[in-house]
Amino acid sequence: MLVVKKFGGSSVADKERIFNVAERVREEYHAGNEVVVVLSAMGKTTNELIEQARNINPRASRRELDMLLTCGEQMSVALMAMALQSMGVPAISLNAWQVAMHTSSAYGNARLKKIDTERIQAELESGKVVVITGFQGINKYDDYTTLGRGGSDTTAVALAAVLHADACEIYTDVEGVYTADPRIVPNARKLEEITYDEMLEMASLGAKVLHNRSVELAKKYGVQLVVCSSLTRAPGTVVKEVVNVEKMLVSGVAVDKNVSRIAVMGLNDVPGTAFKLFNLIYQKKINVDLIVQSVGYSGDKKDIAFTVAADRVEEVVSLLEQNKERLQFSSVEVSSDVAKISLVGSGIMSTPGMASKMFEALYDAGINTRMISTSEIKISVLVDERYAEKAMLAVHDKFELGD
Ligand code: ADP
Ligand code: ASP
Ligand code: MG
């Protein structure tokens, strides 16, 4: 059996944790299995590296940032291979270059395109555990790239797909996927199983327990995932196409604080305004999420507000300012102190009253909603960031999702 095991940053944060992981890998290896280990950078290393870069140059290029960030994962894999070797387990570490994990060229947000398997296969055949850097790749310019924050999950799933692994296990610091982040909602319930689609929504809406691209890939290639703890032996959550357990209307509540709201005021209330605005943003490959448009006022004016990821705000604002004449608006307002709370579940569209129940929960908690968006499988609202936790608890409670 070939098993891909991915361990996140907190699972390899220090010497003790590294040996804890090494021990679990040793057990798998001694059970007669081929083992590929994918690792993230130790603890908060990636954040620290970003901080160091900011210190040197707040406008550091994305290329150089990736060059720096890939060091974090390289440290982890080398130390893990050393730990395994010290325990008598033959092991070798490989980075994205050595494996040859090809990505698109977008630094900081690259997509995996092709992974060469020859080197990995050869090392596995020679009886070694292969320890591979998560989160990184190489592009057509022979430069290092990274897959976006939390991207090691995606590396693991992609490797499981190309190697036709029999299992893909994602080890983290909680015991699986819960109805809400268990650090915010203490009575959140661990899910036995969840479908790819529901997990994809949860991940895209802020449940960072899995990188959203990893779920997309898992669905595309039919890779069944298990999310579980690196510290306990509790059974985790299985992510797959069809669940066996009774299907739930609501799978959970997610929060995303990494959003900002941009309001473009005083636009002309004529056809084509929204197109011109969003096409401009789209051309920079920036994702726009919630959108609201005001009713027209003063005869011929309107406002359009939308959300983007917090780290893209500056780009969008300067883009708007550069095109002020063409777009003809009066001003731009940015609010960064907002959070998006989402209710996710496959039963949302088919069950009447879900949205009103969610708004009632927020009303009971005295929380104002600043934007609303619904789809077949989710309802999202924007609230003041300081109420994010309170809103999570209120909605989770209202739908009786807890234990
Ligand atoms: P790793 O370093 O192992 O990749 P992450 O920090 O990326 O770990 O993801 C695990 C974290 O995801 C948990 O510590 C938890 O706080 C958070 N999380 C958010 N939403 C959920 C959820 N619905 N279920 C489980 N964990 C969640
Ligand atoms: N180390 C990277 C990050 O912190 C990748 C990951 O953890 O998956 O975002
Ligand atoms: Mg992660």
Side-chain angles (χ1 to χ4, degrees), residues 6 8-10 153 171-174 176-178 180-183 202 207-209:
K6 180 262 169 177
S10 49
D153 301 326
Y171 290 87
T172 184
D173 55 3
V174 289
V177 180
Y178 288 69
D181 187 336
R183 296 184 199 288
M202 290 275 280
K208 63 167 187 158
V209 59

Coordinates of all heavy atoms in Angstrom, one line a residue, residues 6 8-10 153 171-174 176-178 180-183 202 207-209, ligand 1:
K6 N 0.4 14.0 5.2 CA 0.8 15.4 5.3 C 0.7 15.9 6.7 O -0.4 15.7 7.4 CB -0.1 16.2 4.3 CG 0.2 17.7 4.3 CD -0.7 18.5 5.2 CE -0.3 19.9 5.4 NZ -1.2 20.7 6.2
G8 N 1.0 19.4 9.1 CA 1.0 20.8 9.0 C 2.0 21.4 10.0 O 2.7 20.7 10.7
G9 N 2.1 22.7 9.9 CA 3.1 23.4 10.7 C 3.2 23.1 12.2 O 4.3 22.9 12.8
S10 N 2.0 23.1 12.8 CA 2.0 22.9 14.3 C 2.4 21.5 14.6 O 2.9 21.2 15.7 CB 0.7 23.2 14.9 OG -0.3 22.6 14.1
D153 N -1.5 21.3 1.8 CA -2.6 20.3 1.6 C -2.7 19.9 0.1 O -2.9 18.8 -0.2 CB -3.9 20.8 2.1 CG -3.9 21.2 3.5 OD1 -3.2 20.6 4.3 OD2 -4.6 22.2 3.9
Y171 N -2.8 15.4 8.5 CA -2.7 15.4 9.9 C -2.5 16.9 10.4 O -1.7 17.7 9.8 CB -1.4 14.7 10.4 CG -1.6 13.2 10.3 CD1 -1.3 12.6 9.1 CD2 -2.1 12.4 11.3 CE1 -1.4 11.2 9.0 CE2 -2.3 11.1 11.2 CZ -1.9 10.4 10.0 OH -2.1 9.1 9.9
T172 N -3.3 17.3 11.4 CA -3.3 18.7 11.8 C -3.4 18.8 13.3 O -3.2 17.8 14.0 CB -4.4 19.5 11.0 OG1 -4.3 20.8 11.4 CG2 -5.8 19.0 11.3
D173 N -3.8 20.0 13.8 CA -3.8 20.2 15.3 C -5.2 20.1 15.9 O -5.4 20.4 17.0 CB -3.2 21.5 15.7 CG -3.8 22.7 14.9 OD1 -4.8 22.5 14.2 OD2 -3.3 23.8 15.1
V174 N -6.2 19.6 15.0 CA -7.5 19.3 15.6 C -7.9 17.9 15.0 O -7.2 17.4 14.2 CB -8.6 20.4 15.1 CG1 -8.4 21.7 15.8 CG2 -8.6 20.6 13.6
G176 N -10.2 16.7 13.2 CA -10.9 16.5 12.0 C -11.6 17.8 11.5 O -11.2 18.9 11.9
V177 N -12.6 17.6 10.7 CA -13.4 18.8 10.2 C -14.6 18.9 11.2 O -15.3 17.9 11.4 CB -13.9 18.6 8.8 CG1 -14.7 19.8 8.3 CG2 -12.7 18.4 7.9
Y178 N -14.8 20.1 11.7 CA -15.9 20.3 12.6 C -17.0 21.2 12.0 O -16.8 21.8 11.0 CB -15.4 21.0 13.9 CG -14.5 20.1 14.8 CD1 -13.3 19.7 14.4 CD2 -15.0 19.7 16.0 CE1 -12.5 18.8 15.2 CE2 -14.2 18.9 16.9 CZ -13.0 18.5 16.4 OH -12.3 17.6 17.2
A180 N -17.8 24.0 13.0 CA -17.2 25.3 13.0 C -15.8 25.2 13.6 O -15.5 24.2 14.2 CB -18.0 26.3 13.9
D181 N -15.0 26.2 13.4 CA -13.7 26.2 14.0 C -13.8 25.9 15.5 O -14.3 26.7 16.3 CB -13.0 27.6 13.8 CG -11.5 27.5 14.2 OD1 -11.2 26.7 15.0 OD2 -10.8 28.4 13.7
P182 N -13.3 24.8 16.0 CA -13.4 24.4 17.4 C -12.7 25.4 18.3 O -13.0 25.4 19.5 CB -12.8 23.0 17.5 CG -12.0 22.8 16.3 CD -12.6 23.7 15.2
R183 N -11.8 26.2 17.8 CA -11.1 27.2 18.6 C -12.1 28.4 18.9 O -11.8 29.2 19.8 CB -9.9 27.7 18.0 CG -8.9 26.6 17.9 CD -7.5 27.1 17.3 NE -6.8 25.9 16.8 CZ -6.3 25.0 17.6 NH1 -6.3 25.1 18.9 NH2 -5.7 23.9 17.1
M202 N -16.8 25.1 2.6 CA -16.3 25.4 3.9 C -14.9 26.0 3.8 O -14.6 27.1 4.4 CB -16.2 24.2 4.8 CG -17.6 23.7 5.2 SD -18.3 24.5 6.7 CE -17.4 23.7 8.0
A207 N -12.8 28.1 6.4 CA -12.4 27.0 7.3 C -11.1 26.5 6.8 O -11.0 25.6 6.0 CB -13.5 25.9 7.3
K208 N -10.0 27.1 7.3 CA -8.7 26.8 6.7 C -8.1 25.5 7.1 O -7.0 25.2 6.9 CB -7.7 27.9 7.1 CG -7.5 28.0 8.6 CD -6.3 28.9 8.9 CE -6.1 28.8 10.4 NZ -4.8 29.1 10.8
V209 N -9.0 24.6 7.7 CA -8.5 23.2 8.0 C -8.0 22.5 6.8 O -7.1 21.7 6.8 CB -9.5 22.5 8.8 CG1 -10.8 22.3 8.1 CG2 -9.0 21.1 9.3
Ligands
ADP1 P1 -2.0 22.9 9.6 O1 -0.9 23.7 10.0 O2 -2.0 21.5 10.1 O3 -2.2 22.9 8.1 P2 -4.1 24.8 9.8 O4 -3.9 25.8 10.9 O5 -3.9 25.2 8.4 O6 -3.3 23.5 10.2 O7 -5.6 24.3 9.9 C1 -6.1 23.7 11.2 C2 -6.9 24.8 11.9 O8 -8.1 25.1 11.1 C3 -7.4 24.4 13.2 O9 -6.5 24.6 14.2 C4 -8.7 25.2 13.4 O10 -8.5 26.3 14.2 C5 -9.0 25.7 12.0 N1 -10.4 25.5 11.5 C6 -11.2 26.4 11.0 N2 -12.4 25.9 10.7 C7 -12.3 24.6 11.0 C8 -13.3 23.5 11.0 N3 -14.5 23.7 10.5 N4 -12.9 22.3 11.5 C9 -11.7 22.1 12.0 N5 -10.8 23.1 12.1 C10 -11.0 24.3 11.6

